[in-house]
């Protein structure tokens, strides 16, 4: 990925994330590229002499560089490999050349690299550089540096054998320097990279310098001279910081999770991992299998125990099962056995072992005053005694039946909303896990309890023991949110929420002990103005003892309202990823016990947390990257000065009286303005300046020097005079473990981090250079949400009536009725079904369409209704698309055909229009799509 510094003085390539655009072009270019998912890398296996391209487009990953390499020996053994799992560019062989064109004499080139073969000395040879360090074969990592001798190109060529390159940078002048308190023209620091272990040096101006620890020899502190010196493992440079470093910390790389040891005996398992109180396994379809039995051993299961059939799903080219409700353990085993002709074939069963399952972190106010677990699960992750389980899909959300205690009598309730409404009688307390599978759109749902919000969860203040959770990585609700009222012991987890009606989740009115975690929350309905991204993403009103943790907020607008003037208190916000979200993280009224810790504020365009109406917030150990105002207290400090030296008359975010914020141990990088209490210097417009106002009146927060420091009563809000409650140092403060803020970005982005399992099924990367300061809608993300489709094609097991209780333990409860509305939704095509061809294999059933044929290689992308398609099916004589509908549907086929080209529906030719589109209204029944003329099909849409 290409980055540029503020004045264009330095250009650098950090070979980490592959952008969505690059991924699409690589996927579309099967002639030159192959994704080796097992090794987490893209292979370019054809010869190259020029820019790095895919699908005839230069990749952003290495834009501006040129490459020369021979063809690889196979598609899995390319000479140029983009390893997105290990964040490196792999030059696989001797004599591979990278050219950095058009440099100027005096430019400094710095390369971070290492041998690709342990213990064998390898390196990069250079041309046109006066070498200061490196550029010789070495047995480990090295930082290579040289100064450009003459205007022109610099080349880097692999010596001896393959070399892994982590970054390349070009700066205008040579680094170094030790002027007191000064900043040298260029340090040898590198960009933040959560895939590497890094050292962080925070300067007094709140800038952070990152160094990859594997490339360092030492960091030396000289107390007498007041210097900190950074030296490389390979090279002669030194970075000297003189009296301008406020903190040194170390960040661990992302935890990618541990893959299981796979032993295939017939079934071909492709991946298996443990997660939070769950594990998953994926495998390829087994010829002749009617279904599959999945067994789990480990944790609470000393022997292999079969999981519910409903947890087994088909996705066309692969199958997947998730086991839920597991205790923590390091050596789980999952077994997959095919069922052929109604009988399990144990001889073809395959296993994955050594799976690590960990507990969800339950630190926070939700669990602080309740002895049992919040929701349907115990604190060890297993289902509570007598827990019941139901599985909800698009096919049964209106028809699922369950016996509920309604005011002391048993009633059979139909549809998910009706089932939940039984809690309003106040007598149903049996633990219930509602497990959502795949995509639920508002049209799939019964009449919802709240016309303003969507699905209503309302009790009568009884301990409900209710969990609503997603299964796997793709459970999504679309077009509605949830309203929770008069509820106690309710948990919402592992779901995506898209296009909610008003709020994504609204905890509203008399709730206690509620927990929302591991959610992906996207834009809501566009109502214009300050609600163009929806209203609240996850709001807390009328609620006591809540924890909001490990959620991923995708460019949300008004993220958390904490009280609308009502009584809200004892709320924890922790380990959330505020990914380019705008404001309210949270915005607090009145509450005296608000704990905000270990969150990642990643490119926040307006402000982090805001305190009004006498509230007290403890903001601890968070990591802020380019957050405009990390904290604001209403009607004082930055809220009135707005980054200037002129006192304004109107607050930035509120006209209400202020609250008080205590901050401790936060990392703030790229902050626009932050004014600590009593400071003589502070950050203004990104630079450290001398104070020009009375910072004991106009401040943004009290900055504590220790976690247990009490805020003096003399520190008060300018508007209203409120003082800090010091709740965080009181004897009744809950117990918790705080993480080093340097580790927070890697934690929330890691395998066990924020959002759904495996970070969900949505892949989207923000452009920090534009999105860090943009609070408008991102058009690409907006279109992605509107056009989101599920790739789920089959759910095994009974999805009907539940009259009894399920078993406790690893996801083996529920699902014991006689009704079976649609256990195999792939057998018929329904409105909304879409076919695309990413990952296609001939013979696949994709959302009801059974397709045989071949993909077209080297085809250009095509955009239709805001969606870009990059893969297409070649319409040949043998190509056949067959399907059945149970109602009249319009089938639209998107092709690359010119006007006049034809395609056959049920044997009759129909002509595509000038855009290559053809639509036909088809009656209920069986149908086919076959070749008319030689064209290619990108997608099929049923409406």
């Amino acid at each position: 990925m290409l980055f540029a510094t503020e004045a264009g003085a330095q250009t650098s390539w950090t070979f980490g994330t592959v952008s969505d655009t690059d991924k699409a072009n690589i996927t579309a270019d099967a002639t030159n590229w192959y994704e080796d998912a097992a090794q987490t890398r893209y292979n370019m296996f054809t010869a190259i002499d020029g820019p790095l391209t895919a699908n005839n487009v230069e990749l952003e990953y290495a834009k501006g560089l040129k490459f020369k390499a021979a063809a690889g020996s196979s598609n899995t053994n390319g000479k140029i490999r983009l390893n997105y799992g290990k964040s490196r560019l792999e030059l696989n062989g001797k004599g591979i050349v990278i050219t950095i064109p058009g440099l100027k004499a005096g430019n400094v080139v710095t390369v971070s690299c290492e041998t690709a073969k342990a213990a064998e000395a390898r390196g990069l040879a250079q041309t046109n550089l006066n070498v200061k360090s490196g550029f010789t074969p070495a047995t480990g990592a090295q930082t290579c540096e040289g100064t450009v001798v003459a205007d022109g190109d610099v080349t880097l060529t692999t010596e001896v054998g393959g070399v892994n390159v982590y970054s390349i940078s070009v700066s205008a002048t040579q680094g170094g320097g030790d002027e007191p308190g000064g900043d040298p023209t260029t340090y040898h620091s590198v960009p933040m990279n959560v895939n590497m272990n890094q050292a962080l040096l925070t300067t007094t101006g709140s800038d952070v310098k990152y160094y990859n620890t594997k490339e360092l020899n030492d960091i030396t502190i000289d107390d007498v001279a007041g210097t900190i010196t950074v030296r490389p493992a390979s090279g002669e440079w030194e970075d000297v910081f003189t009296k301008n470093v406020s903190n040194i910390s170390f960040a661990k790389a992302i935890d990618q999770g541990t893959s299981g040891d796979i032993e295939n005996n017939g079934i071909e398992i492709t991946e298996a991992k443990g997660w939070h109180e769950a594990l998953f396994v994926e495998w390829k379809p087994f010829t002749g299998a009617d279904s599959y039995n999945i067994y789990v051993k480990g944790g609470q299961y000393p022997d292999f125990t079969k999981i519910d059939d409903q947890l087994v799903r088909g996705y066309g080219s692969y199958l997947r099962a998730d086991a839920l409700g597991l205790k923590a353990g390091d050596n789980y085993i999952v077994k997959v056995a095919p069922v052929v002709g109604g009988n399990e074939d144990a001889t073809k069963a395959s296993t994955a072992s050594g799976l690590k399952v960990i507990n969800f972190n339950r630190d926070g106010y939700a669990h602080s005053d309740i002895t049992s677990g919040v929701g349907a699960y115990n604190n060890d992750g297993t289902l509570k005694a007598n827990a019941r389980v139901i599985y909800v899909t698009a096919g049964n959300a209106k028809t699922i039946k369950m016996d509920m205690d309604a005011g002391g009598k048993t009633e059979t309730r139909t549809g998910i909303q009706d089932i939940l409404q039984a809690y309003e009688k106040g007598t149903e307390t049996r633990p219930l896990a509602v497990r959502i599978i795949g995509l639920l759109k508002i049209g799939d749902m019964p009449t919802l309890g709240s016309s303003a919000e969507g699905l209503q969860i309302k009790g009568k203040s009884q301990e409900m023991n209710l969990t609503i959770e997603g299964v796997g990585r793709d459970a999504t609700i679309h077009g509605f949110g949830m309203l929770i009222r008069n509820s106690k012991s309710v948990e919402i987890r592992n779901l995506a929420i898209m296009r909610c009606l008003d709020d994504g989740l609204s905890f509203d009115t008399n709730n206690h002990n509620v927990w929302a975690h591991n959610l992906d929350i996207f834009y809501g309905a566009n109502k214009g103005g300050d609600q163009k991204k929806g209203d609240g993403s996850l709001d807390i009103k009328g609620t006591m003892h809540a924890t909001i943790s490990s959620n991923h907020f995708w460019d949300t607008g008004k993220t958390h309202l904490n009280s609308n003037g009502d009584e809200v208190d004892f709320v924890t916000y922790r380990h959330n990823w505020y990914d380019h979200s705008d404001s309210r993280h949270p915005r607090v009224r009145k509450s005296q016990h608000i704990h905000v810790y270990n969150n990642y504020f990643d490119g926040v365009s307006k402000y982090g947390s805001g305190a009004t109406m006498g509230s007290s917030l403890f903001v601890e150990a968070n990591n802020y990257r380019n957050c405009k105002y990390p904290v604001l207290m209403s009607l004082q400090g930055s809220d009135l000065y707005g980054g200037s030296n002129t006192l304004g008359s109107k607050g930035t975010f509120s006209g209400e009286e202020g609250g008080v914020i205590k901050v401790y141990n936060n990392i703030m990088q790229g902050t626009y303005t932050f004014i600590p209490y009593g400071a003589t210097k502070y950050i203004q417009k990104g630079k450290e300046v001398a104070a020009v106002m009375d910072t004991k009146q106009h401040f943004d927060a009290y900055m504590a020097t220790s976690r247990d420091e009490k805020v003096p009563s003399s520190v008060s809000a300018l508007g209203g005079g409120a003082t800090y409650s010091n709740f965080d140092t009181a004897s009744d403060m809950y117990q918790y473990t705080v993480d080093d803020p340097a580790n927070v970005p890697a934690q929330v982005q890691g395998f066990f981090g924020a959002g759904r399992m495996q970070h969900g099924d949505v892949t989207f990367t923000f452009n920090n250079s534009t999105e860090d300061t943009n609070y408008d809608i991102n058009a690409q993300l907006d279109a992605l949400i509107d056009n989101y489709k599920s790739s789920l094609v089959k759910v095994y097991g009974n999805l009907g009536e539940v009259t009894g209780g399920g078993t406790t333990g690893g996801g083996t409860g529920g699902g014991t009725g006689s009704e079976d509305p649609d256990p195999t939704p792939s057998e018929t095509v329904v409105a909304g079904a879409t076919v695309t061809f990413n990952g296609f294999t001939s013979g696949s059933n994709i959302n009801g369409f059974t397709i045989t044929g071949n993909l077209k290689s080297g085809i250009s992308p095509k955009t239709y209704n805001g969606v870009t398609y990059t893969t297409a099916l070649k319409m040949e004589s043998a190509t056949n698309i067959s399907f059945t509908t149970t109602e009249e549907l319009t089938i639209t086929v998107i092709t690359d055909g010119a006007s006049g080209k034809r395609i056959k529906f049920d044997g009759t030719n129909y002509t595509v229009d000038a855009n290559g589109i053809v639509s036909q209204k088809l009656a209920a029944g069986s149908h086919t799509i076959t070749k008319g003329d030689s064209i290619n099909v990108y997608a099929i849409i049923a409406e």
Side-chain angles (χ1 to χ4, degrees):
M1 188 69 70
L2 178 68
F3 297 90
T5 57
E6 288 183 335
Q10 175 178 323
T11 301
S12 64
W13 294 264
T14 300
F15 301 113
T17 303
V18 180
S19 72
D20 294 334
T21 301
D22 284 353
K23 288 177 183 177
N25 283 315
I26 290 171
T27 301
D29 191 357
T31 302
N32 299 295
W33 289 88
Y34 173 79
E35 181 179 10
D36 187 348
Q39 298 296 326
T40 64
R41 64 192 179 199
Y42 294 107
N43 286 270
M44 186 178 189
F45 54 84
T46 54
I48 181 174
D49 188 1
L52 191 64
T53 64
N55 201 29
N56 297 316
V57 177
E58 185 174 6
L59 297 181
E60 297 172 357
Y61 185 88
K63 192 169 186 178
L65 299 176
K66 295 180 180 179
F67 294 79
K68 186 174 183 179
S73 59
S74 68
N75 63 354
T76 60
N77 195 34
K79 295 296 183 182
I80 308 293
R81 304 193 297 212
L82 319 186
N83 195 318
Y84 51 85
K86 296 183 178 178
S87 296
R88 66 192 187 195
L89 169 65
E90 297 177 349
L91 306 179
N92 183 29
K94 180 181 177 182
I96 300 172
V97 181
I98 299 177
T99 299
I100 313 172
L103 301 185
K104 298 292 185 182
N107 286 165
V108 176
V109 176
T110 305
V111 182
S112 172
C113 64
E114 68 175 340
T115 176
K117 186 175 183 179
E120 181 170 291
R122 298 179 180 180
L124 296 171
Q126 54 74 35
T127 63
N128 197 25
L129 290 178
N130 183 7
V131 175
K132 183 175 181 181
S133 63
F135 292 117
T136 58
T139 56
Q142 59 175 313
T143 300
C144 308
E145 182 182 333
T147 304
V148 177
V149 176
D151 291 357
D153 299 346
V154 166
T155 64
L156 310 172
T157 306
T158 56
E159 290 189 286
V160 183
V163 173
N164 298 325
V165 182
Y166 293 93
S167 64
I168 300 173
S169 66
V170 180
S171 57
T173 57
Q174 188 168 336
D178 57 359
E179 54 271 26
D183 184 23
T185 306
T186 303
Y187 286 112
H188 296 83
S189 55
V190 298
M192 182 178 77
N193 185 348
V194 294
N195 293 290
M196 302 284 287
N197 292 326
Q198 293 190 305
L200 288 68
L201 277 67
T202 304
T203 70
T204 51
S206 289
D207 188 19
V208 179
K209 303 296 185 185
Y210 295 88
Y211 295 87
N212 297 330
T213 55
K214 67 187 298 182
E215 299 169 5
L216 299 183
N217 183 65
D218 60 67
I219 299 175
T220 303
I221 301 173
D222 187 331
D223 290 333
V224 176
T227 60
I228 295 173
T229 303
V230 182
R231 298 183 182 89
S234 175
E236 300 177 1
W237 57 264
E238 291 184 347
D239 282 355
V240 180
F241 298 81
T242 304
K243 299 180 181 179
N244 65 337
V245 172
S246 59
N247 186 64
I248 300 175
S249 54
F250 295 89
K252 296 179 181 178
I254 277 178
D255 183 348
Q256 300 286 4
T258 303
S259 297
D261 296 323
I262 295 171
E263 184 176 340
N264 286 330
N265 297 306
I267 291 287
E268 186 178 348
I269 295 175
T270 56
E271 186 177 13
K273 283 185 178 180
W275 193 58
H276 295 287
E277 298 166 18
L279 62 80
F280 75 90
V281 59
E282 294 181 355
W283 67 96
K284 293 183 178 179
F286 185 82
T287 302
D290 308 314
S291 60
Y292 302 86
N293 291 334
I294 315 301
Y295 301 87
V296 171
K297 182 179 180 181
Q300 68 264 44
Y301 300 116
D303 300 311
F304 278 113
T305 302
K306 186 174 178 291
I307 70 171
D308 287 352
D309 289 335
Q310 297 92 332
L311 294 167
V312 185
R313 293 101 63 213
Y315 292 88
S317 61
Y318 71 98
L319 296 104
R320 176 177 172 124
D322 290 77
L324 310 182
L326 303 181
K327 281 185 177 180
D330 291 333
N331 194 28
Y332 273 90
I333 305 172
V334 61
K335 179 169 67 174
V336 182
V339 176
V340 181
N343 297 311
E344 178 181 307
D345 186 351
T347 66
K348 302 298 183 183
S350 298
T351 61
S353 59
L355 304 177
K356 181 181 180 180
V357 172
I358 69 172
N359 280 126
F360 284 112
N361 182 341
R362 287 174 167 79
D363 291 351
Y365 275 119
H367 291 81
S368 65
D369 70 335
I370 188 171
T371 56
S372 60
V374 172
Y377 291 87
N378 297 306
N379 287 331
D380 67 358
T382 61
L383 282 165
K384 292 178 178 177
N386 301 315
R388 302 188 296 169
V389 177
I390 57 173
Y391 295 91
V392 181
T393 70
N396 77 345
K398 296 177 182 179
T399 58
I400 183 77
K401 295 179 183 294
M402 189 172 197
D403 288 348
M404 300 291 286
D405 185 338
K409 62 180 181 178
T410 298
E411 293 181 356
T412 300
R413 296 294 184 109
T414 302
I416 183 58
Q417 182 64 86
D418 190 39
I419 290 170
L420 294 176
Q421 282 177 333
Y423 285 102
E424 296 181 25
K425 300 293 185 178
T427 52
E428 181 61 84
T429 61
R430 287 173 292 179
L432 174 62
V434 178
R435 293 176 174 172
I436 295 174
I437 299 175
L439 173 63
L440 285 184
K441 303 189 86 169
I442 191 168
D444 302 320
M445 300 294 286
T447 300
L448 295 170
S450 170
S451 59
E453 302 287 357
L455 188 68
Q456 180 165 270
I457 302 160
K458 185 178 180 182
K460 206 171 183 180
S461 300
Q462 79 271 34
E463 194 164 311
M464 294 163 62
N465 300 303
L466 173 67
T467 292
I468 297 179
E469 62 182 328
V471 174
R473 66 192 294 254
D474 61 337
T476 302
I477 64 174
H478 195 294
F480 64 99
M482 298 186 197
L483 176 65
I484 300 95
R485 286 180 165 169
N486 299 321
S487 297
K488 182 175 183 178
S489 189
V490 171
E491 175 189 25
I492 316 292
R493 72 186 193 188
N494 199 37
L495 284 170
I497 302 175
M498 299 179 179
R499 285 286 184 250
C500 58
L501 296 166
D502 187 57
D503 295 342
L505 286 184
S506 180
F507 290 98
D508 181 299
T509 312
N510 196 29
N511 298 302
H512 296 267
N513 306 104
V514 292
W515 185 24
H517 63 106
N518 292 96
L519 305 172
D520 285 309
I521 300 185
F522 296 88
Y523 296 150
N526 186 341
K527 299 180 180 180
D530 69 351
Q531 296 187 24
K532 59 190 172 185
K533 297 182 180 181
D535 194 9
S537 302
L538 202 167
D539 285 355
I540 308 290
K541 294 165 282 188
T543 295
M544 299 286 173
H545 293 96
T547 301
I548 311 302
S549 60
S550 298
N551 301 296
H552 187 179
F553 296 91
W554 299 69
D555 194 33
T556 49
K558 299 190 292 182
T559 306
H560 304 303
L561 177 64
N562 190 104
S563 173
N564 200 19
D566 43 62
E567 296 302 318
V568 176
D569 214 349
F570 306 100
V571 184
T572 301
Y573 299 87
R574 62 165 179 78
H575 294 101
N576 297 293
W577 183 4
Y578 297 118
D579 193 357
H580 296 84
S581 49
D582 300 340
S583 63
R584 298 189 177 184
H585 312 92
R587 184 227 196 273
V588 184
R589 293 184 174 100
K590 300 175 66 173
S591 306
Q592 296 299 298
H593 305 76
I594 303 298
H595 193 191
V596 181
Y597 76 96
N598 280 159
N599 300 285
Y600 184 33
F601 294 81
D602 184 11
V604 173
S605 58
K606 290 186 178 180
Y607 71 91
S609 306
T612 74
M613 295 179 65
S615 57
S616 291
L617 284 70
F618 181 33
V619 177
E620 178 187 17
N622 300 283
N623 192 301
Y624 298 85
R625 188 199 64 80
N626 289 359
C627 177
K628 186 174 183 180
Y629 299 112
V631 291
L632 290 173
M633 292 167 53
S634 183
L635 296 182
Q636 66 185 82
S638 295
D639 189 42
L640 288 182
Y641 278 90
S644 72
N645 292 327
T646 302
L647 181 65
S649 59
K650 187 177 180 180
T652 300
F653 82 106
S654 171
E656 298 167 340
E657 292 180 346
V660 181
I661 300 174
K662 170 185 171 180
V663 299
Y664 172 67
N665 191 30
N666 298 283
I667 291 177
M668 297 181 182
Q669 180 184 12
T671 294
Y672 181 71
T673 298
F674 171 62
I675 308 172
Y677 174 84
T680 58
K681 294 181 179 180
Y682 56 83
I683 303 300
Q684 181 186 76
K685 296 183 178 179
K687 297 181 179 180
E688 187 177 61
V689 299
V692 297
M693 78 277 289
D694 182 357
T695 57
K696 291 188 176 181
Q697 280 194 328
H698 285 285
F699 59 95
D700 299 331
Y702 181 88
M703 182 177 285
T705 56
S706 70
R707 186 251 173 254
D708 295 328
E709 180 181 352
K710 293 185 176 180
V711 179
S713 59
S714 57
V715 177
S716 62
L718 184 61
T723 58
Y724 187 68
S725 67
N726 283 309
F727 71 93
D728 52 294
T729 56
S731 59
D732 60 353
M733 179 65 181
Y734 63 85
Q735 297 296 308
Y736 66 102
T737 300
V738 66
D739 297 310
D740 188 329
N743 289 325
V744 167
Q747 286 176 331
V748 302
Q749 294 177 74
F751 182 75
F752 297 102
R756 290 173 291 172
M757 175 184 273
Q758 297 170 274
H759 292 294
D761 61 340
V762 173
T763 301
F764 185 87
T765 303
F766 291 99
N767 182 345
N768 291 343
S769 64
T770 57
E771 294 302 315
D772 283 355
T773 57
N774 175 39
Y775 46 84
D776 205 348
I777 289 173
N778 181 293
Q780 289 178 303
L781 181 60
D782 199 47
L784 184 155
I785 295 167
D786 282 339
N787 294 287
Y788 173 81
K789 304 290 184 184
S790 173
S791 58
L792 176 70
V793 297
K794 184 178 180 69
V795 181
Y796 293 81
N798 191 322
L799 292 172
E801 184 176 353
V802 180
T803 56
T807 63
T808 59
T812 57
T816 58
S818 59
E819 188 172 341
D820 191 1
D822 188 9
T824 54
S826 62
E827 293 176 353
T828 60
V829 171
V830 297
T834 299
V835 173
T836 59
F837 296 96
N838 291 332
F840 169 79
T841 56
S842 185
S844 296
N845 181 309
I846 305 175
N847 292 334
F849 294 85
T850 299
I851 305 167
T852 57
N854 300 304
L855 293 180
K856 172 67 175 177
S857 62
I859 196 165
S860 299
K862 184 181 183 74
T863 300
Y864 174 74
N865 280 352
V867 180
T868 299
Y869 303 95
T870 59
T871 311
L873 179 75
K874 188 190 304 183
M875 296 305 293
E876 302 171 296
S877 297
T879 304
N880 184 275
I881 304 169
S882 60
F883 57 98
T884 300
T885 65
T886 57
E887 60 182 337
E888 184 179 80
L889 293 175
T890 297
I891 305 297
T892 299
V893 182
I894 303 162
T895 81
D896 67 347
S899 181
K901 291 285 187 178
R902 300 170 301 172
I903 196 166
K904 290 181 179 179
F905 287 84
D906 299 327
T908 301
N909 277 312
Y910 293 87
T911 304
V912 305
D913 65 18
N915 295 314
I917 311 300
V918 58
S919 296
Q920 281 298 307
K921 186 174 290 186
L922 302 179
S926 297
H927 303 280
T928 61
I929 300 173
T930 54
K931 177 186 176 182
D933 293 320
S934 295
I935 57 178
N936 303 294
V937 173
Y938 288 93
I940 306 169
I941 300 171
E943 300 173 299

